[in-house]
Every structure is written in C-alpha cells, then in structure tokens.
Amino acid sequence: MRIVIEKNDLYEGLQRVFNVVPQKPTLPVLSNFLLTVCGDEKAPGLLISGTDMDMSITTRLACDVTGEGSITVNAKRFISIIRELPDGEVTVNIDGEKIRVDFKSGQSNMMGMSASDFPP
C-alpha cells in the first residue's frame, strides 16, 4: 500500500484522532492508530481511527493511494515523526508490518501491528 499526502493534512488528521488514544491503555493495541487505505475509484483516501473502548474517532483524508488494506501503528511515535517533517508531500509505504515514511530530504522506518488486533 502507498499513500501520498501533504504533511500538514496528515498531521491535522492525526491530531483529531490522537485525542481519543489513551495514555495508559488496558490493551497495547489501543495506543495505536488504525490506518486503512481505501482504493475506491470514486473517493480514494486514508481512514485514521483511534479508540479508548468507550469512544472512537475516525477521520477520512483525501489523498492519492495505491492498493488497499490496513495496519495499526503506535500513535505517539507516528504523530511525533510526522510533526517533525518539513512541509511538503509525504509518501507512506506499507509493506506487511513495515512502514516507511518518505519525505523531501529523507525517510523514517517503523514497525506496525496487524489490524486484526484493533477493536471493531
């Protein structure tokens, strides 16, 4: 899967969902964002979800995507990486459980977790 989006758009979407991610979760997967790539021809985009089991937030971001699927990623680490990036276009490549964020002057790598562990 591949996502191409402006850094500021991605960061704003992550901030909206980050408010519901618990600081000390009862389940480790609750400290993650669920990233879902939708390759729908009419409205391709990225869904970002978070939950504390009482409340859930999902936001949809319009962007260029290739492929479909989902993965969870540590919310605190991912939002920190995106916050520090220079303005401009960001490409997020997801291969299995590996996530690579490419930006104007470099890249950052991290591991994700299976989306099947994230609560419905």
Side-chain angles (χ1 to χ4, degrees):
M1 296 178 290
R2 183 171 173 253
I3 304 157
V4 180
I5 189 169
E6 284 294 316
K7 176 250 182 174
N8 290 331
D9 294 340
L10 178 57
Y11 183 66
E12 287 174 16
L14 293 172
Q15 278 188 305
R16 276 184 245 140
V17 177
F18 190 69
N19 292 326
V20 77
V21 176
Q23 297 299 315
K24 296 182 180 181
T26 54
L27 299 169
V29 75
L30 296 180
S31 65
N32 290 2
F33 290 126
L34 174 64
L35 306 178
T36 305
V37 176
C38 304
D40 183 359
E41 290 180 14
K42 294 180 182 177
L46 172 65
L47 293 174
I48 304 170
S49 303
T51 185
D52 64 2
M53 297 299 282
D54 291 327
M55 180 174 37
S56 297
I57 296 177
T58 299
T59 188
R60 182 184 187 97
L61 303 177
C63 57
D64 294 328
V65 298
T66 304
E68 289 187 349
S70 55
I71 191 168
T72 67
V73 61
N74 182 277
K76 188 173 182 178
R77 182 161 182 232
F78 192 63
I79 200 168
S80 293
I81 289 169
I82 301 303
R83 177 179 46 241
E84 298 302 322
L85 297 180
D87 289 343
E89 196 171 79
V90 174
T91 302
V92 180
N93 293 292
I94 302 166
D95 183 18
E97 292 185 359
K98 296 179 183 177
I99 300 167
R100 187 181 80 230
V101 179
D102 296 319
F103 51 98
K104 188 177 1 181
S105 58
Q107 71 178 24
S108 180
N109 297 296
M110 61 187 304
M111 293 296 293
M113 291 174 47
S114 171
S116 64
D117 296 334
F118 200 83

